[in-house]
């Protein structure tokens, strides 16, 4: 399939799913064989919009950065793009580090965790389009080709404790909304570790 056709396909409304109620704090997290929740450490899950979305890329990079500093937390990113497109995208954006990447091509997990399909205002409202431009201009994160997946899937993020209870949950109110991962960690009683200082330059003039 050509790049133009792939982009066109991503704008088509996907088949409807039976979306369950959004998990509430204090409830047991949904159980599914494709998403394992360890009992020896808490878990932070980010459901991505689609591979190619700049806000999904920013959220994924934030998640991988935290994964290298918090070995006592299990980090998961869920993608509904195809396995091939997801793998290609992960390599493009810098690798998964200590994040488990789960492919949910049929969007069963999304529906089970209360994440349905958005509307035009959510996906392409004026403020979202402006923030898309700012993210590219300020951080160099632009739209990448959408090899698989759709632009209408709502993203979300969750914090699950060792007992399998939801401690923090947030569905994205718009496509540009990034998950507050520090709030997710705090809800689990995890003290957020600061970013390590950049390594000093050793080339050229100091």
């Amino acid at each position: 399939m050509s790049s133009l056709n792939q982009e066109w396909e991503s704008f088509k409304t996907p088949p409807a799913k039976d979306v369950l109620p959004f998990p509430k704090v204090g409830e047991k997290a949904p159980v599914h064989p494709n998403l394992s929740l360890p009992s020896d450490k808490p878990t932070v899950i980010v459901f991505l919009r689609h591979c190619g979305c700049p806000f999904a890329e920013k959220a994924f990079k934030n998640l991988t950065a935290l994964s290298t500093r918090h070995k006592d937390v299990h980090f998961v990113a869920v993608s509904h793009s195809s396995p091939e497109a997801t793998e290609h995208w992960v390599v493009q954006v810098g690798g998964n580090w200590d994040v488990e990447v789960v492919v949910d091509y049929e969007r069963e997990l999304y529906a089970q965790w209360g994440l349905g399909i958005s509307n035009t205002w959510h996906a392409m409202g004026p403020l979202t389009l402006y923030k898309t431009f700012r993210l590219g201009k300020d951080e160099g994160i632009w739209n990448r080709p959408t090899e698989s997946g759709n632009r209408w899937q709502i993203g979300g993020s969750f914090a699950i404790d060792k007992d399998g209870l939801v401690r923090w949950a947030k569905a994205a109110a718009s496509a540009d909304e990034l998950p507050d991962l520090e709030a997710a960690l705090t809800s689990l009683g995890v003290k957020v570790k600061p970013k390590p200082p950049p390594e000093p330059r050793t080339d050229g003039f100091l």
Side-chain angles (χ1 to χ4, degrees), residues 19-23 30 108-116 153-154 158 171:
V19 180
L20 298 182
F22 191 74
E108 293 179 359
L109 288 171
Y110 284 83
Q112 186 183 37
W113 288 73
L115 299 171
Q153 178 62 57
I154 296 175
F158 303 86

Side-chain angles (χ1 to χ4, degrees), residues 120-189:
T120 303
W121 187 264
H122 178 284
M124 292 177 283
L127 185 56
T128 295
L129 295 178
Y130 172 74
K131 289 184 177 180
T132 302
F133 171 76
R134 290 292 355 148
L135 184 59
K137 195 74 172 176
D138 297 341
E139 301 187 40
I141 300 177
W142 299 95
N143 275 296
R144 295 179 185 271
T146 303
E147 299 177 3
S148 172
N150 73 83
R151 299 172 186 269
W152 307 108
Q153 178 62 57
I154 296 175
S157 45
F158 303 86
I160 315 299
D161 68 15
K162 291 186 290 186
D163 297 320
L165 298 176
V166 178
R167 292 304 178 193
W168 184 85
K170 185 72 170 65
S174 60
D176 59 88
E177 183 175 315
L178 295 171
D180 188 345
L181 299 177
E182 292 192 0
L185 289 176
T186 300
S187 74
L188 297 169

Side-chain angles (χ1 to χ4, degrees), residues 48-52 78-87 89 102-107 110 146-150:
L48 304 168
R49 282 191 68 232
H50 67 88
C51 294
V78 182
S79 162
H80 75 273
S81 297
S82 69
E84 297 80 10
T86 299
E87 182 179 2
W89 178 80
V102 174
V103 175
D104 181 34
Y105 188 60
E106 298 297 332
R107 298 181 292 115
Y110 284 83
T146 303
E147 299 177 3
S148 172
N150 73 83

Side-chain angles (χ1 to χ4, degrees), residues 1-14 124 145-152:
M1 185 181 295
S2 69
S3 296
L4 185 59
N5 285 339
Q6 289 169 340
E7 293 297 327
W8 174 250
E9 287 293 322
S10 73
F11 282 99
K12 292 183 178 180
T13 303
M124 292 177 283
T146 303
E147 299 177 3
S148 172
N150 73 83
R151 299 172 186 269
W152 307 108

